[in-house]
Every structure is written in C-alpha cells, then in structure tokens.
Amino acid sequence: MQSEGGEKAERYSSGGLVSGVVGLVAVAAMLGYGLVSDRDGFAPWAYPALLFAGVLVWAVLLRPAVLLHRDEVELRNVLHSRFIPFARITSVQINQMTVVVVDEDRFVGSGFGRSRLTINRDAKAGPGARPEEHSVGWLVEEKVRRRMKPHDAFTERGEVRRVWALPEIVALAVLGVATLVALLVG
C-alpha cells in the first residue's frame, strides 16, 4: 500500500517535466512581477487566475506518472490515481499510454508511454536483446510482467482502488470560483 514501511516507489513519467517546470516558473515570475510592480500591478482577478494556471500546469504536466510500489502499480492521472495489485493484473501494455487489464476491466495511465518510433525500435530489438537496447517503457513493462507472474493461490489479491486527487480538485475549484468572483466584482 502506497510505500508503507519506508520503501520508495519507482516513478516513471514521460513528457511534461521540462515544460511543467517552465510553466510553473513562468507563473511564479508573473505573480512576482504583479506583486512588486511599481504601477498598479495586475487586475485583482489575475492573481487567482495565475494560481489556477499553476495548479493546472502541475496537475496536467507534472502529476501524471506510473509508480511501481512493492505490491501494486499506481496509475497516476490528472485528477485521480488507480492502485492495482500486481496479483490482479492479467496483462499490461505500454504504448502511447499505459494500459493495465484486470479481468475484463481496462485501466489507463496517461503519465507514461512510448512514441511509435520507440515502440518500433523495441519490436526490432526483440525480447532476447540486451536491456540497454530497449526503451525505458519496454523495461517498465517487463518489470510489471515479472511481478505479475510469481503470485500463487495463497497470495492476497487485493482490490483495485481509485483515489481522487483532492488537493488538486479543491485548489482548482476554489481558485476557479475566486477568479470568477474577482472578475465579476472588480
């Protein structure tokens, strides 16, 4: 369960890191300029709007990822996470997005994937190639497959859980309403 016992989860994400950091720095710079400007600064509604944009950059570009915990995989999406025990997984595929199948249900993780070019390179290398000849996506897929296999009838299968990203949801709702109120009042 979610890194109990101090064990750190392996985190994998693709895209978004550089543009997310640039976006947050840009938001912080604009907020700083608005606060220290010797003129009137920004309109009152611009401050909550910029904070809204910062939370949105965080939620869309930096939060999504695939995390491998000790007993389960976490598909972290924009506004929720799915925790799927390895013992329940029937198949996994990492293409443009990560897809984990449990019985008849498909769960999609948008935070980690491979480009078509990378998928083709991995296919050409084949399963017998050295690990350094494959992409990180292929290696993560293999890690999940290895953790799926050793489970037997005595292993606790656990349940698939959805956990909402409440801090992000609340921040977006509050800042969205604050922006609208400041826009209508000011």
Side-chain angles (χ1 to χ4, degrees), residues 71-147:
D71 296 325
E72 59 193 0
V73 61
E74 177 185 352
L75 301 178
R76 187 179 291 172
N77 290 309
V78 175
L79 295 179
H80 75 278
S81 294
R82 291 276 187 184
F83 291 88
I84 306 167
F86 289 116
R88 298 287 311 264
I89 298 173
T90 51
S91 75
V92 62
Q93 190 172 26
I94 299 177
N95 286 327
Q96 280 85 16
M97 292 186 281
T98 302
V99 177
V100 176
V101 178
V102 174
D103 301 325
E104 300 295 320
D105 299 321
R106 290 174 39 119
F107 302 103
V108 177
S110 62
F112 185 65
R114 299 182 289 174
S115 67
R116 289 193 185 274
L117 179 65
T118 305
I119 294 168
N120 290 336
R121 284 184 189 157
D122 286 339
K124 285 180 185 174
R130 294 186 319 265
E132 56 271 5
E133 294 177 15
H134 288 289
S135 68
V136 175
W138 186 89
L139 295 171
V140 171
E141 190 175 315
E142 287 302 308
K143 279 184 179 184
V144 173
R145 283 197 178 114
R146 281 195 308 267
R147 292 181 186 186

Side-chain angles (χ1 to χ4, degrees), residues 147-167:
R147 292 181 186 186
M148 292 170 29
K149 290 180 181 178
H151 300 289
D152 54 29
F154 301 108
T155 303
E156 177 65 34
R157 290 180 44 96
E159 291 298 318
V160 176
R161 301 182 325 274
R162 177 191 299 205
V163 177
W164 291 99
L166 290 178

